[in-house]
C-alpha cells in the first residue's frame, strides 16, 4: 500500500507522541521503596500524563543497531519457556532471529521445563540443572531461593538500558533491594472484547472508552435473548480483582498501595461482590447458567462468545491474535469499565538469567533480545505476527511497527492510550502474593460464589494473612540478596 507524504508524516508524528507519552506516564506510575527497601510499583497512585505536552517536551534517541559479537567461539545456552515451542512457533522464530544477529550464540530450548513451573524450577535447581535463561512464573520465589543472577552490573554497562529507552517502572518490578533480578518480556492488558455485529443487531451504540460499570450492566441486559440462547456477557465473575482500583483509585491491583495491602478497604468487597452478584447471578451473564446448559446450547466446552452468541467477554490482549485469526464476526475491544475512576489492569511476564549459568554474558544478551532490544522487538513484530504483547521499549519505530499490525483495531489503540494510568497485576512480582493467593485467598472464591461467605466477613483475615506472607517472603529475599 502506498501512502502520501503528508499521511506518513502525520502517522509518524502520532506514533512518536504516543510512545513518548507512554514512557513518561509509565515512569510516573513507579512507587517508592517499601519498608524493606524493596523497589515495588505503586501503580495505585499512577499519574495521568498529558499526551500532547509529553510529546512536545521530550525527545527520544533511537538506539544504534546491535552488532553481532566478534568471536569464533560458539556458545550454547539453554532457554526455558512455556511459550509456543513448535518448530515454526514463536519461540523458535525468536531464537532464529537472535542467532542470526549473534552468530557466536546458539540457543537450545530446555524441554525438561514444563508445568508446574515453580516445582520444575526447584527440581532443576536441586539437581544443578537450571537453564541459562528462564521465564518466571513467581519472580520473588526465584529470587528468595537464590536461583537468579543479579543483572545490575550487566545493565549498568549497557547504554541501551536506560529510563528513556525502556519503561523504568516496569523494570523495577523485577528489582529487589536495589538489585535487578528479572525483566519483563511481555505486556498485556485486561479488556472487554465485544461482538460489534450483535451490538448493531440490537441497535446498541458502541460505548466510548470511558464507559462505566452501570453501562456494561445495561448493555448486557439489552443484548440478552434467552429464547435464542444469546447473552450479554461471559467472564464477568472474573473481573473482581481488576475492578478494585476502579472502585477506589488510591489502590493498586490486589489492594496494594505501594507499602501494604488494604483488604479491609470497602473497595475490595465492593468489587468482589459485584463480580459474584452480577457475573454469577444476573441472567444476562452466561456464567449464571450451568455448564450442562452451556454445553447443550453451544456444544461441549464451546465458547458462546467465539461462535457469536454472546455480546461481550472479559479477556486480555494476549488473546487478540487468536481472535483475529478465528472469529467470524466483527469485533473490537473496550477498556474495563470505570466506577469511581477507570484504570487499565496490566499484566507482565518475566524472565531472568540463572546464577548457575556458565555463560552469563551470552545469556544476558539473549535476555536483552527478549526484553529491551530495539532489534529484538522489531524482529518479534515481524516474525511472530500477530504479536499480542505490547512493546516494552520506548522507541518510535517499534511502536509504529506494532500499531500497524493487522489485528490492531481502533479499540486496541484506546487500550494503548490507557496504559499510562494502568495498574500492574501483583501475582508474578509481589513477594509472597502467589503463596497467599493459592493457600489463603483462593479458598474463599467458591464460597463467595455460593453465598457461603461474604468478603466483608473475611477481609480482616485476608489483610493479616496477606501481610504475613509478604513479610515472610521479604525475609527470604533479604537474606538471598545480601
Amino acid at each position: 500500500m502506498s501512502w502520501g507524504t503528508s499521511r506518513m508524516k502525520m502517522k509518524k508524528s502520532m506514533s512518536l507522541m504516543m510512545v513518548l507519552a507512554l514512557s513518561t506516564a509509565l515512569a510516573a506510575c513507579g512507587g517508592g521503596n517499601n519498608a524493606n527497601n524493596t523497589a515495588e510499583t505503586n501503580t495505585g497512585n499512577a499519574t495521568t500524563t498529558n499526551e500532547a505536552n509529553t510529546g512536545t517536551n521530550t525527545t527520544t534517541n533511537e538506539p544504534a543497531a546491535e552488532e553481532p559479537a566478534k568471536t569464533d567461539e560458539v556458545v550454547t545456552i539453554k532457554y526455558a519457556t512455556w511459550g509456543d515451542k513448535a518448530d515454526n512457533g514463536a519461540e523458535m522464530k525468536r531464537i532464529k532471529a537472535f542467532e542470526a544477529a549473534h552468530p557466536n550464540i546458539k540457543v537450545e530450548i530446555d524441554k525438561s521445563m514444563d508445568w508446574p513451573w515453580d516445582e520444575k524450577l526447584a527440581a532443576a535447581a536441586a539437581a544443578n540443572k537450571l537453564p541459562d535463561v528462564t521465564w518466571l512464573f513467581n519472580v520473588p520465589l526465584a529470587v528468595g531461593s537464590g536461583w537468579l543472577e543479579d543483572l545490575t552490573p550487566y545493565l549498568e554497562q549497557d547504554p541501551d538500558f536506560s529510563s528513556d529507552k525502556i519503561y523504568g517502572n516496569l523494570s523495577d518490578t523485577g528489582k529487589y533491594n536495589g538489585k535487578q533480578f528479572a525483566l519483563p518480556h511481555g505486556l498485556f492488558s485486561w479488556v472487554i472484547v465485544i461482538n460489534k455485529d450483535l451490538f448493531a443487531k440490537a441497535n446498541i451504540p458502541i460505548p466510548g472508552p470511558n464507559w462505566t460499570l452501570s453501562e456494561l450492566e445495561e448493555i448486557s441486559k439489552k443484548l440478552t435473548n434467552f429464547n435464542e440462547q444469546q447473552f450479554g456477557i461471559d467472564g464477568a465473575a472474573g473481573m473482581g480483582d481488576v475492578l478494585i482500583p476502579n472502585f477506589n483509585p488510591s489502590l493498586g491491583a490486589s489492594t496494594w498501595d505501594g507499602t501494604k495491602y488494604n483488604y479491609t478497604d470497602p473497595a475490595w468487597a465492593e468489587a468482589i461482590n459485584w463480580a459474584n452478584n452480577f457475573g454469577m447471578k444476573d441472567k444476562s451473564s452466561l456464567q449464571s447458567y450451568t455448564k450442562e446448559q452451556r454445553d447443550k446450547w453451544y456444544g461441549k466446552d464451546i465458547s458462546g462468545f467465539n461462535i457469536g452468541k454472546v455480546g461481550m467477554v472479559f479477556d486480555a490482549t494476549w488473546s487478540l491474535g487468536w481472535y483475529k485469526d478465528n472469529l467470524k464476526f466483527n469485533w473490537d475491544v473496550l477498556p474495563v469499565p470505570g466506577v469511581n475512576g477507570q484504570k487499565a489492569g496490566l499484566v507482565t511476564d518475566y524472565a531472568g538469567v540463572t546464577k548457575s549459568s556458565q555463560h552469563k554474558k551470552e545469556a544476558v544478551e539473549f535476555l536483552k533480545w527478549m526484553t529491551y532490544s530495539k532489534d529484538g522487538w522489531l524482529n518479534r513484530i515481524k516474525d511472530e505476527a500477530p504479536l499480542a504483547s505490547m512493546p516494552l521499549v520506548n522507541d518510535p519505530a517499534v511502536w509504529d511497527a506494532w500499531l500497524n499490525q493487522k489485528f490492531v483495531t481502533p479499540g486496541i489503540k484506546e487500550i494503548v492510550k490507557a496504559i499510562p494510568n494502568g495498574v500492574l497485576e501483583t501475582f508474578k512480582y509481589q513477594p509472597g502474593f502467589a503463596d497467599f493467593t493459592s493457600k489463603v485467598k483462593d479458598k474463599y472464591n467458591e464460597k463467595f460464589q455460593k453465598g457461603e461467605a461474604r468478603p466483608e466477613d473475611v477481609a480482616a483475615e485476608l489483610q493479616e494473612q496477606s501481610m504475613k506472607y509478604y513479610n515472610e517472603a521479604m525475609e527470604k529475599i533479604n537474606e538471598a540478596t545480601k
Side-chain angles (χ1 to χ4, degrees):
M1 179 183 292
S2 61
W3 299 86
T5 303
S6 61
R7 176 68 177 253
M8 287 294 291
K9 287 182 178 179
M10 179 179 70
K11 184 173 72 170
K12 290 181 179 179
S13 174
M14 290 178 66
S15 296
L16 177 59
M17 288 171 66
M18 179 176 291
V19 171
L20 295 174
L22 283 170
S23 175
T24 303
L26 273 168
C29 294
N33 291 351
N34 58 36
N36 292 303
N37 296 320
T38 304
E40 302 292 350
T41 301
N42 183 5
T43 49
N45 295 322
T47 302
T48 304
T49 300
N50 183 285
E51 190 170 350
N53 289 342
T54 306
T56 56
N57 294 334
T58 309
T59 58
T60 301
N61 297 319
E62 295 188 15
E66 298 170 28
E67 295 290 337
K70 295 179 173 61
T71 177
D72 294 330
E73 179 185 3
V74 176
V75 170
T76 299
I77 61 174
K78 284 200 169 185
Y79 167 47
T81 169
W82 61 75
D84 182 0
K85 294 176 278 192
D87 290 343
N88 198 39
E91 299 305 316
M92 290 307 302
K93 291 178 181 178
R94 189 177 311 171
I95 288 170
K96 289 176 182 177
F98 173 78
E99 290 177 339
H102 303 79
N104 67 307
I105 307 175
K106 299 299 179 184
V107 180
E108 176 184 318
I109 291 180
D110 187 344
K111 296 181 180 179
S112 69
M113 285 301 303
D114 206 338
W115 297 98
W117 199 260
D118 293 338
E119 292 180 19
K120 289 294 181 69
L121 268 183
N128 196 29
K129 293 184 178 180
L130 281 170
D132 298 277
V133 179
T134 181
W135 284 22
L136 298 162
F137 189 66
N138 185 340
V139 179
L141 172 66
V143 175
S145 300
W147 300 338
L148 299 180
E149 176 75 1
D150 177 10
L151 301 171
T152 310
Y154 303 92
L155 300 177
E156 287 178 344
Q157 297 175 23
D158 188 350
D160 289 339
F161 188 83
S162 58
S163 60
D164 65 343
K165 294 176 183 175
I166 186 172
Y167 299 141
N169 72 307
L170 293 181
S171 298
D172 281 350
T173 59
K175 185 183 289 184
Y176 301 85
N177 289 334
K179 299 177 180 180
Q180 192 83 45
F181 289 95
L183 290 171
H185 67 82
L187 174 63
F188 309 93
S189 178
W190 295 106
V191 293
I192 304 295
V193 189
I194 64 170
N195 183 326
K196 295 174 66 177
D197 293 344
L198 289 186
F199 272 67
K201 179 181 175 182
N203 293 316
I204 299 173
I206 295 174
N210 296 323
W211 67 323
T212 65
L213 205 57
S214 60
E215 288 181 87
L216 179 146
E217 294 178 18
E218 181 181 356
I219 290 171
S220 184
K221 290 175 170 61
K222 288 182 178 178
L223 286 167
T224 298
N225 185 333
F226 182 83
N227 292 332
E228 296 182 6
Q229 286 79 55
Q230 177 180 304
F231 300 96
I233 192 167
D234 196 8
M239 292 171 60
D241 281 336
V242 179
L243 284 171
I244 294 168
N246 290 356
F247 276 92
N248 182 350
S250 70
L251 300 180
S254 305
T255 77
W256 182 256
D257 67 5
T259 59
K260 68 182 186 307
Y261 292 104
N262 294 271
Y263 283 97
T264 53
D265 188 291
W268 175 70
E270 289 173 337
I272 300 304
N273 281 329
W274 181 89
N276 288 320
N277 291 334
F278 184 80
M280 298 301 296
K281 298 176 183 178
D282 193 275
K283 292 307 178 182
S284 71
S285 169
L286 187 58
Q287 287 170 290
S288 68
Y289 301 89
T290 66
K291 184 180 186 302
E292 289 73 20
Q293 288 176 298
R294 299 194 298 268
D295 287 348
K296 179 181 178 181
W297 294 333
Y298 311 131
K300 185 175 175 57
D301 298 326
I302 299 297
S303 162
F305 178 81
N306 292 349
I307 62 173
K309 299 295 287 185
V310 178
M312 301 178 286
V313 66
F314 174 60
D315 204 338
T317 55
W318 55 66
S319 298
L320 297 184
W322 188 93
Y323 286 145
K324 181 259 181 186
D325 291 338
N326 293 280
L327 294 185
K328 305 302 182 184
F329 52 81
N330 293 311
W331 60 275
D332 207 336
V333 302
L334 290 168
V336 173
V339 185
N340 298 319
Q342 186 180 27
K343 293 187 176 181
L346 306 178
V347 181
T348 49
D349 281 327
Y350 296 85
V353 172
T354 58
K355 190 178 293 186
S356 59
S357 172
Q358 299 300 304
H359 307 290
K360 292 186 177 69
K361 181 179 178 182
E362 291 81 6
V364 170
E365 196 65 33
F366 181 56
L367 180 66
K368 173 181 177 179
W369 185 262
M370 292 194 297
T371 58
Y372 66 95
S373 162
K374 173 183 176 179
D375 289 349
W377 277 101
L378 288 174
N379 275 276
R380 287 179 67 180
I381 294 167
K382 173 175 66 72
D383 295 339
E384 301 172 36
L387 179 65
S389 171
M390 292 174 278
L392 286 155
V393 289
N394 175 25
D395 186 279
V398 172
W399 272 98
D400 189 64
W402 191 87
L403 288 167
N404 278 285
Q405 294 182 99
K406 291 182 179 180
F407 79 93
V408 177
T409 66
I412 295 172
K413 293 179 181 179
E414 292 295 335
I415 298 297
V416 171
K417 293 178 184 178
I419 293 174
N421 196 39
V423 296
L424 187 61
E425 187 177 83
T426 56
F427 188 90
K428 291 175 184 172
Y429 79 90
Q430 182 76 355
F433 189 75
D435 281 343
F436 162 68
T437 299
S438 62
K439 296 177 181 178
V440 180
K441 183 169 170 282
D442 279 353
K443 72 180 183 180
Y444 284 111
N445 290 341
E446 187 175 355
K447 291 183 178 181
F448 293 154
Q449 292 174 1
K450 291 181 177 180
E452 296 173 356
R454 300 191 316 151
E456 297 90 338
D457 296 336
V458 300
E461 177 189 351
L462 294 191
Q463 179 66 29
E464 178 184 356
Q465 290 295 313
S466 62
M467 294 308 300
K468 173 178 175 288
Y469 277 89
Y470 172 79
N471 290 326
E472 289 175 352
M474 277 308 307
E475 287 180 9
K476 294 180 181 179
I477 289 174
N478 290 338
E479 183 64 27
T481 58
K482 285 182 178 177

